[in-house]
Amino acid sequence: MASRAGSARRAPENEATIQYVQCDGLAVMKIVKHCHEESCSNMEVAQGALLGLVVENRLEITNCFPFPKHDDTMDEEEYQLDMMRRLRRVNVDHFHVGWYQSADVGNFLSLSLLESQYHYQTSIEESVVVIYDTKKSARGFLTLKAYRLTPQAIAMYKEGDYTPEALRNLKIGYENLFIEVPIVIRNSPLTNIMISELTEMIPEEEGSKFLDLGTASVLEGQLRSLMERVDELNQEAIKFNRYQQLVVRQQQDKHRWMVKRAQENAARAAKDETPLPEEDVNKLFKPHPVPPRLNPMIVAGQIDTYSQHISQFCSQSLAKLYLTQALQNAKEAKQNN
Amino acid sequence: MALNISVKVHPVVLFQIVDAYERRNADSHRVIGTLLGTSDKGVVEVTNCFCVPHKEHADQVEAELNYAMDVYELNRRVNSSESIVGWWATGNEVTNHSSVIHEYYSRECREPVHVTLDTSLAGGRMGLRAYVCVPLGVPNGKQGCMFTPVDVTLTCYEPEIVGLQVCQKTVSGGGRGSSGVAAGSDLAQVMSAASSLESLLEQALQYADGAAAGAPADAEAGRALLQLAHSAPDLAKDTFSDAFASSVKDLLMVVTLAQLIKTQLQLNEKLTLLTSQ
């Protein structure tokens, strides 16, 4: 705990204080268990808090606990404080370093996530959000990723201003909303001894599910979500185009009105009448509100993540297919001999 | 008392026990806690656990039972299907204090099981044992109870096995210092599986060659190898190459589409930042 008071917390905000996240096997297994149980019973996301400490340039996660589902009867703050107090009694690190969430096909980017992570990161500087992909892990590939908001994203959220000019000033796009922090898993020596005992107790055949060739179901799910997001992005693009057309038309109307005014004034001056009072052009033609760019940015970020995941998934499916081809060729060679 | 109780333990529980043992107070030698799970037709499935602070003196034991109840209630709010099924302790033997604690737990649940994990590594292994308490004695005479061992096995959900496999890599590789193991990418995982498959096949081949040359061989192993060789699906050459080609084409198409979408998004982003209002 003394190391916390050291340089890590006094570092200026634009310095990358966390370079990687170190997770204890215990926290990993607890996250897996909780997210798996939630996905079996209902389709809501599972969320929980991460506990640990900050050491030099890494964030250590030593334990975690799940949150109950949104329940109006009991306050969530109270539950958290209660839980942390109890854990402190058994000497568990009680420094709240972040939170985790399960995601169906890795689609975690949403406004609520941005909001929560913003609040976390402003109160606790080094906090991360860990996303666990349920579908892919069930197929055999453990997918745990840690993300942090970039400083530009924090500035943007603080302003609350999502017009295109503001975003251009901050030079922020969907690519630099989040940065991914690599996760490393570490176990204490005693835990390693326990794991070696466990390996003898598990039968060999289990845990080879990731070699399964039937990849269609996961790929289907991913592609479907991708299509939905692309549709959304399309809608947003249409909205923005419509806005731009309105602005252009408004400019034209304004121009025409000014010309008409000038003509009328000239006519009146020719007849020696008082010119019409100057009216504020802007009050007549109220400027249209600029549609906020936050949603399209989030959707674009999601689409980006999907494409990445799909490429990764396809690459390993291709590898498996080539493996089977090699085996088949060997078999045929043997048969022909 | 039904003695055909068997206990199935999830790996999470063992991780928790070891962690609690490492974080114990300096003056305790043992740590105890509650086991949570479900009990059904003689099979007790332990899915979760937590540590309970306690102190052991020469002739009495104090455990913070209010703490145990509180944490159990908190856990019920997250997972209402888990109930108390017993308790755990570290160490390799059952002591007098254990019976006192066990009596308390028998008030909480119907047939508590007691699990011990030998963290002191007596005998060079970390033994996992489970017990139930069986009353014995002479009727109308002195009655007592005895801890009888029962079967304990390991069971996991599918994703738990995956998590366990990743953690296993820390045993061999990153055990020294604080370097750990990164959860590798999908492709790396398939690659490592392929190489382990290759070494396994080599071993099998060596054995088969040795047996053909006349070395003493086991008939069982021979039968298993034969079954293995026949289990590869017997597809005609054309069928296989057709199926293979179409799958590869599908996957490549999806990869191209995904990359195309990414490039388009990036292009769109650049354009939005460039255009002036």
Side-chain angles (χ1 to χ4, degrees):
Chain A
M1 289 299 185
S3 62
R4 244 180 53 218
S7 52
R9 295 202 65 126
R10 308 260 188 274
E13 205 168 318
N14 50 5
E15 205 177 274
T17 44
I18 301 296
Q19 298 197 328
Y20 66 98
V21 172
Q22 184 181 286
C23 216
D24 260 13
L26 172 66
V28 171
M29 296 300 288
K30 279 180 88 165
I31 294 177
V32 168
K33 170 190 177 288
H34 177 224
C35 296
H36 177 78
E37 281 178 354
E38 284 294 314
S39 73
C40 287
S41 53
N42 55 14
M43 283 300 137
E44 287 176 21
V45 290
Q47 292 181 337
L50 298 168
L51 307 165
L53 60 147
V54 179
V55 176
E56 294 157 17
N57 66 339
R58 66 175 188 270
L59 181 71
E60 284 193 27
I61 300 178
T62 50
N63 212 330
C64 64
F65 63 85
F67 288 156
K69 289 175 264 294
H70 277 269
D71 195 5
D72 292 323
T73 52
M74 183 161 164
D75 194 9
E76 281 178 13
E77 286 266 344
E78 219 182 290
Y79 175 88
Q80 278 192 47
L81 286 173
D82 244 346
M83 202 64 183
M84 308 232 285
R85 220 177 298 141
R86 304 265 174 270
L87 288 172
R88 202 187 322 172
R89 284 287 282 119
V90 283
N91 301 332
V92 175
D93 295 323
H94 56 277
F95 184 42
H96 205 156
V97 293
W99 58 301
Y100 68 85
Q101 182 176 309
S102 73
D104 210 12
V105 203
N107 62 335
F108 57 93
L109 210 55
S110 68
L111 191 55
S112 54
L113 186 111
L114 263 185
E115 236 179 87
S116 318
Q117 181 60 6
Y118 171 74
H119 288 301
Y120 264 93
Q121 241 171 282
T122 40
S123 48
I124 305 163
E125 190 164 320
E126 303 89 1
S127 66
V128 298
V129 54
V130 170
I131 304 288
Y132 169 82
D133 188 338
T134 18
K135 282 254 176 66
K136 254 177 92 173
S137 302
R139 299 296 308 196
F141 300 99
L142 184 68
T143 316
L144 270 178
K145 295 206 186 310
Y147 295 97
R148 280 168 59 73
L149 282 178
T150 51
Q152 298 114 309
I154 295 182
M156 173 193 82
Y157 197 83
K158 210 184 299 190
E159 301 288 318
D161 185 15
Y162 304 121
T163 57
E165 292 87 36
L167 296 182
R168 210 180 310 137
N169 290 341
L170 291 169
K171 290 206 190 4
I172 189 171
Y174 70 88
E175 278 169 333
N176 36 16
L177 272 180
F178 280 94
I179 43 171
E180 188 182 329
V181 186
I183 293 190
V184 156
I185 300 184
R186 187 204 143 263
N187 282 317
S188 67
L190 200 59
T191 321
N192 281 341
I193 298 178
M194 192 256 311
I195 295 180
S196 1
E197 284 282 341
L198 283 185
T199 41
E200 293 184 13
M201 294 172 81
I202 304 180
E204 260 306 320
E205 310 85 57
E206 307 253 351
S208 49
K209 196 147 181 231
F210 64 97
L211 286 174
D212 200 3
L213 279 179
T215 54
S217 55
V218 180
L219 207 54
E220 231 177 279
Q222 283 180 333
L223 279 176
R224 200 169 295 148
S225 320
L226 184 63
M227 285 190 329
E228 283 174 19
R229 292 285 161 277
V230 171
D231 276 338
E232 260 186 52
L233 190 62
N234 198 20
Q235 297 289 359
E236 295 285 336
I238 290 179
K239 245 194 272 179
F240 195 70
N241 280 341
R242 215 179 297 152
Y243 159 76
Q244 279 189 318
Q245 282 173 352
L246 278 177
V247 166
V248 165
R249 215 177 306 151
Q250 197 185 44
Q251 289 285 69
Q252 287 179 338
D253 283 344
K254 248 195 231 177
H255 189 74
R256 230 178 300 140
W257 188 89
M258 303 259 315
V259 166
K260 212 174 73 169
R261 250 312 153 91
Q263 277 182 342
E264 276 192 28
N265 278 343
R268 281 179 174 234
K271 290 195 228 161
D272 279 331
E273 286 174 21
T274 51
L276 290 168
E278 282 293 322
E279 284 172 32
D280 192 4
V281 192
N282 287 338
K283 279 220 196 74
L284 279 181
F285 295 92
K286 288 203 196 57
H288 292 276
V290 188
R293 301 295 299 163
L294 182 64
N295 212 20
M297 209 165 49
I298 293 182
V299 175
Q302 268 182 341
I303 296 182
D304 192 43
T305 332
Y306 277 138
S307 331
Q308 253 180 329
H309 282 202
I310 290 180
S311 318
Q312 242 196 348
F313 190 75
C314 289
S315 62
Q316 55 88 9
S317 304
L318 276 172
K320 288 194 294 211
L321 276 178
Y322 278 108
L323 266 180
T324 38
Q325 192 194 36
L327 284 174
Q328 179 76 0
N329 287 348
K331 187 167 132 177
E332 280 162 18
K334 216 50 178 145
Q335 274 176 353
N336 291 342
N337 285 358
Chain B
M1 288 295 151
L3 264 197
N4 49 356
I5 292 186
S6 67
V7 180
K8 291 193 195 301
V9 175
H10 279 251
V12 182
V13 174
L14 298 177
F15 272 87
Q16 286 259 57
I17 297 181
V18 172
D19 186 66
Y21 180 72
E22 286 177 345
R23 289 172 186 280
R24 68 190 186 287
N25 290 326
D27 52 354
S28 345
H29 298 284
R30 228 158 68 120
V31 209
I32 67 165
T34 313
L35 290 172
L36 301 168
T38 49
S39 165
D40 187 31
K41 295 198 209 58
V43 175
V44 177
E45 193 167 336
V46 183
T47 49
N48 206 347
C49 72
F50 58 86
C51 175
V52 175
H54 85 301
K55 286 196 251 298
E56 282 184 13
H57 307 286
D59 54 350
Q60 61 167 330
V61 63
E62 296 170 4
E64 295 195 20
L65 305 170
N66 293 336
Y67 175 95
M69 278 327 295
D70 279 339
V71 180
Y72 174 57
E73 285 304 311
L74 285 176
N75 193 55
R76 271 199 79 98
R77 297 195 48 232
V78 180
N79 195 337
S80 47
S81 61
E82 286 181 349
S83 51
I84 299 185
V85 294
W87 64 292
W88 58 268
T90 57
N92 64 340
E93 52 185 22
V94 179
T95 63
N96 297 336
H97 305 260
S98 306
S99 49
V100 176
I101 306 175
H102 198 88
E103 200 196 344
Y104 162 70
Y105 275 99
S106 52
R107 270 181 269 139
E108 294 291 322
C109 79
R110 212 171 51 85
E111 179 74 50
V113 296
H114 173 45
V115 169
T116 57
L117 186 67
D118 187 10
T119 40
S120 56
L121 303 173
R125 296 199 60 144
M126 189 185 276
L128 174 69
R129 279 186 275 275
Y131 304 92
V132 265
C133 201
V134 177
L136 52 79
V138 185
N140 301 332
K142 257 189 133 81
Q143 298 258 339
C145 66
M146 176 182 79
F147 280 98
T148 333
V150 288
D151 280 331
V152 60
T153 50
L154 203 70
T155 175
C156 322
Y157 299 129
E158 267 290 338
E160 282 186 344
I161 302 187
V162 180
L164 209 54
Q165 280 180 333
V166 177
C167 293
Q168 271 168 16
K169 297 205 202 115
T170 63
V171 176
S172 41
R176 330 168 200 97
S178 58
S179 61
V181 164
S185 74
D186 307 350
L187 199 55
Q189 211 171 340
V190 176
M191 270 183 0
S192 60
S195 46
S196 63
L197 200 64
E198 207 184 321
S199 60
L200 282 175
L201 280 175
E202 285 244 356
Q203 271 188 342
L205 272 177
Q206 270 182 355
Y207 180 77
D209 286 338
D218 187 14
E220 273 294 329
R223 271 193 282 270
L225 279 175
L226 191 64
Q227 213 177 15
L228 176 71
H230 279 293
S231 67
D234 202 11
L235 290 171
K237 185 159 185 220
D238 300 329
T239 339
F240 179 78
S241 46
D242 279 344
F244 178 75
S246 63
S247 310
V248 169
K249 269 189 268 198
D250 284 341
L251 287 174
L252 284 177
M253 176 188 76
V254 172
V255 170
T256 324
L257 274 178
Q259 298 290 13
L260 190 66
I261 292 177
K262 257 183 96 161
T263 327
Q264 183 147 14
L265 275 180
Q266 285 177 336
L267 201 62
N268 183 36
E269 200 63 30
K270 294 274 184 295
L271 285 177
T272 344
L273 288 181
L274 276 180
T275 49
S276 48
Q277 270 290 13

